Amino acid sequence: PKRLESVWRKRRKPTTLKKKPNKHKLGSCPSPPSTLSPSPPTKDDLQQWVRHQADKFCQKYLSEETEQNSNTVLDILSNAVNQLSTITDTRDSETPLKQIKSLLLDTSRDVISDRDVTVTSSSDSSVGGTLSSFELLHAGLIETLLKFLTPQPSDRETDVLQRIIKLLEVFVFNEKNEFEPTPYSALFHKVQQCLSQIEHFPVKVNDGLGESLSKVSSTYQIKCLFRKHPDNSSSSIRQWGSGTVKVDPLAYVQALEKYLLSRGYCRDEEEEDAESSEVSEEEDRIVSRQQPSPTRHRLTLTINNHPLPYNMTMYQAIKKYGTHTRLDDEAHPASHSAVWHNIHTIVYKAYECTDRVRSSAVKMGDEEPPPSSLLEKLSLTSPMVLDSYKGIKVIQLLHILHTISHEWCLLLKTDDYNNPILKPELLVNQQIAAKVERQLQDPLVIMTSEYPKWFVPLPYYTPFLFPFHIRLELLHATAFDRDRALQRIVETHPELSTGSEGRTGVRLDKDKRCVDRDSVFAQGRGIMTELASSTSLLEVYYVGEVGTGLGPTLEFYTLLSHAFQETSRGMWQESGTCTVNGRTYVIAPNGFYPRAVSQTDSAELSKLCDDFTYLGRVVGKALIDNRILDLTFSEPFYRWLLGTHEKMGLAAIRDIDEVLHSSLKQVEIFALKKEAVLKQEDLTPERKESLIKQITDENGATLDDLCLDFVLPGTDIELTAGGHNVALSIDNVEEYLCAVVNYTLREGVRKQMEAMRQGFSSVMPLSNLQLFYANEMSQLLCGTGVSMWTEEELCTNLQPDHGYTGTSTAVKHLIQVMTEFEQEEQRAFLKFVTGCPRLPVGGFKSLHPRLTVVKKSVDGPPDSYLLCNDMC
């Protein structure tokens, strides 16, 4: 009614009060009753207006002529869909696919977009035609395409691949066999519209959104009352003698055990003089969020006779085992009044080995590898938790269409493996992305991890539906510990950082280490080994230097990055070298990739595996601590990290060694000419053999003239037994190409990359990276690429303070000079100011703390002083 009243008022015209009949002629607009002063419409007035709008709608869109045209389009689509669903031969699918394509691109029909009609259907004619989401859903196109593009029980292994190739022939290539992705983009866009129309993913909202973290932290506390177990007769266990205790909802059960131990409620005779617990608490409040560490437990804590896992938070324990009615999983945590208002009794007793306390954590590294082949990806079903949501079939189809968009070059054996069919701007679903972004701004949901059931599985299943920055925030909110998630909220939403109490409530444990600049690489190895399983934030300071904090720590990661690039380590495929300050470094224009070596056990391979394990820990720790590496890896390297390396082909070598790629492309010419001869069915076997032996390149050279054997180029590694004695010829050219590509990309680097993955997994699960694609990983680990700084960007993100303003001459001069920096000057400036020569994702606006310029007071001529920085 309020919405109708609003629309009514917009349409009102000040007229004299006249009584109008309820009935009116079709097409005429009844004048609503009005007076000189506005008055709310009556129920009869609103009903009359609705009838009029319905008449206009029916006249324009549901008349006999319009209905006939509409039914014709729907009938054609339905017939095409029915025909596609019943085919048994892939060749018969071309006709219905072309009919569907024609309807998708048809822009001749009018669509419901009249401003007088409240319900509208938006369509982007630049992407597709006017076929509506209703027609696609009503005709059964979603289910039929889903069946057509996925393996079926009765299929042979190649059947589904043939159907996908037929789809590509119709929707990606025109009649001249030229690449034309517009029809495929239109199909994807229309399926996206179907998802936006029917999805109903809930979001947990709270009226308190926008409250500071300190207010949230102080408002939502769990009230606990301790009791000694009545059957525990041990003299070392004392009876609880105090009242209720307020417990931080994120405090772990192990923190409660330490709380009781520190107050002497469980003491052994040999520990009478033991020091108090490390738990940081007030007299009646437990606030420790330190991750549980392996220790000898002394107490077992229970709620309603359920032993509590030591690595479970109190909020999780109360919600799972507390005495209250079943809580609504889709409701906001703030609405769980029973958790926050009730007093929860926790019973403690002496720990016994027979107490079965199950861990609630998932062991790192115990994760299934991602699907590597196209068939595996097409067979991949959606997470079970999503099956109950409306629109799951549409999501599955989008997943398959996106997979085909990325893998089409493998099916058609082209060299464009980095050229997907769909443009990035078509992939994102703004409606669902906005829901995720909205949910990520709620501190209480982040604190308690009480996300909607779909919130995490959907982005991992269909990352392409969400822009990179939202997936990055999702990673920080769900993959790391809660204090890091809250710290991220503080950085991205400063308005939530402080409240009246002047504190954020975020308590990150820090591990400070002293490092000698002359042995950063060696000392870093020990530090990364010790902190691999720790959630503490690493901070570094240097021997003989004053200062610690963010700047020296970022510089530590930069120094490690440079140390890994030294040629003396022998880790990388080289395109050249350069010498800086007496140290020689590898040059890799397209990013680093491991050097292929013999995989037989040797001292060299063992050393390389140790270094790659070390590298994996550094990469994982930098990611979890939100640090930037000055170490650019190639896309094939990231494919190994993501587990999608098995499908890489000759095209991937271009990103590793352009010279080798060029040489192999010359050899491939012979293989392609040989294949073309073999496909000529009108030739006899003798004639084919004769033509194959006559194959030459554009210069008239044969394969024998190249004088190659089955040895990996640039090495002494044999690609087959006795490879030095096996010459490359036209008869074995295909085997040679496969062997070189396979050993360069996979077999020759397998143990190094497995060590790298193992090192990363010791810090955080590799499955967390499934939110991203290989071409996005460089942003994730190494920040933004190089670009010229603009005056507008610097003025917006540079903060003058302590004597300077935006109009100060010195500030203007600084900005002008910075806009003229070349690439190396930018890197040097950033390293001086921040400790890292790269900017994080988002550029200057993502720096925390912000880039600030302050005035330095000096005695004497200003030119006699150097500028200084404060990175600590």
Side-chain angles (χ1 to χ4, degrees), residues 563-579 583-597 604 608 612 634 653-661 712-715 744 749:
F564 277 110
Q565 301 173 38
E566 294 182 15
T567 56
S568 59
R569 313 215 180 274
M571 298 176 66
W572 310 111
Q573 184 87 10
E574 296 182 10
S575 296
T577 61
C578 66
T579 302
R583 296 180 181 272
T584 305
Y585 299 95
V586 175
I587 295 178
N590 296 322
F592 294 102
Y593 192 79
R595 177 175 61 94
V597 299
E604 179 191 19
L608 283 174
F612 274 97
S634 62
I653 293 184
R654 182 174 49 198
D655 292 336
I656 299 172
D657 190 331
E658 293 183 356
V659 175
L660 177 61
H661 177 262
L712 187 68
T715 72
T744 302
V749 301

Side-chain angles (χ1 to χ4, degrees), residues 369-557:
S372 56
S373 69
L374 178 59
L375 282 177
E376 287 179 346
K377 284 194 171 184
L378 295 176
S379 302
L380 184 65
T381 57
S382 56
M384 291 183 59
V385 70
L386 297 177
D387 291 345
S388 59
Y389 290 100
K390 190 176 182 180
I392 185 58
K393 296 294 184 183
V394 181
I395 293 174
Q396 290 172 341
L397 180 58
L398 287 173
H399 170 79
I400 291 172
L401 292 175
H402 178 265
T403 299
I404 296 173
S405 170
H406 268 259
E407 311 294 341
W408 70 278
C409 56
L410 298 178
L411 285 169
L412 303 183
K413 298 181 180 180
T414 69
D415 204 25
D416 297 326
Y417 84 107
N418 278 337
N419 183 28
I421 300 172
L422 298 170
K423 297 179 180 179
E425 58 268 21
L426 274 180
L427 302 178
V428 175
N429 188 295
Q430 298 294 346
Q431 180 171 309
I432 302 180
K435 290 186 175 184
V436 173
E437 188 171 26
R438 166 66 176 80
Q439 196 69 85
L440 287 170
Q441 297 173 7
D442 194 309
L444 187 57
V445 170
I446 300 298
M447 286 174 61
T448 58
S449 298
E450 285 294 304
Y451 315 111
K453 291 181 179 179
W454 63 272
F455 182 71
V456 175
L458 181 61
Y460 274 91
Y461 180 60
T462 54
F464 56 88
L465 293 179
F466 307 89
F468 176 82
H469 74 276
I470 289 182
R471 284 180 279 133
L472 180 60
E473 297 305 320
L474 184 69
L475 176 74
H476 284 277
T478 61
F480 307 148
D481 59 273
R482 292 172 181 82
D483 282 332
R484 280 182 169 81
L486 295 177
Q487 181 67 34
R488 185 72 177 184
I489 292 183
V490 171
E491 294 175 353
T492 55
H493 301 283
E495 68 276 8
L496 300 177
S497 61
T498 57
S500 59
E501 300 87 345
R503 56 187 175 84
T504 65
V506 180
R507 306 173 184 87
L508 280 174
D509 296 317
K510 297 180 180 180
D511 194 323
K512 295 186 179 182
R513 298 299 181 99
C514 182
V515 176
D516 190 338
R517 286 185 179 273
D518 294 331
S519 57
V520 169
F521 191 81
Q523 288 184 263
R525 188 190 299 270
I527 292 173
M528 291 300 164
T529 302
E530 292 178 30
L531 299 183
S533 58
S534 172
T535 60
S536 299
L537 186 70
L538 174 63
E539 282 195 358
V540 172
Y541 63 98
Y542 301 97
V543 175
E545 299 182 21
V546 178
T548 183
L550 180 61
T553 304
L554 287 175
E555 186 181 12
F556 171 72
Y557 281 101

Side-chain angles (χ1 to χ4, degrees), residues 463 779 835:
Q779 291 185 69

Side-chain angles (χ1 to χ4, degrees), residues 634-666:
S634 62
E635 186 166 323
F637 180 93
Y638 290 126
R639 287 178 178 269
W640 259 101
L641 200 58
L642 295 174
T644 59
H645 54 283
E646 295 295 343
K647 59 189 178 184
M648 294 190 296
L650 175 58
I653 293 184
R654 182 174 49 198
D655 292 336
I656 299 172
D657 190 331
E658 293 183 356
V659 175
L660 177 61
H661 177 262
S662 178
S663 300
L664 294 178
K665 289 295 289 184
Q666 292 297 320

Side-chain angles (χ1 to χ4, degrees), residues 45 56 113 270 276 283 344 372 554 564 609 677 698 704 712 762 788 798:
D45 294 333
K56 289 182 63 179
S113 58
E270 63 272 17
S276 61
E283 190 65 25
H344 308 280
S372 56
L554 287 175
F564 277 110
C609 289
V677 172
E698 58 185 7
D704 296 335
L712 187 68
S762 67
M788 295 302 294
L798 191 146

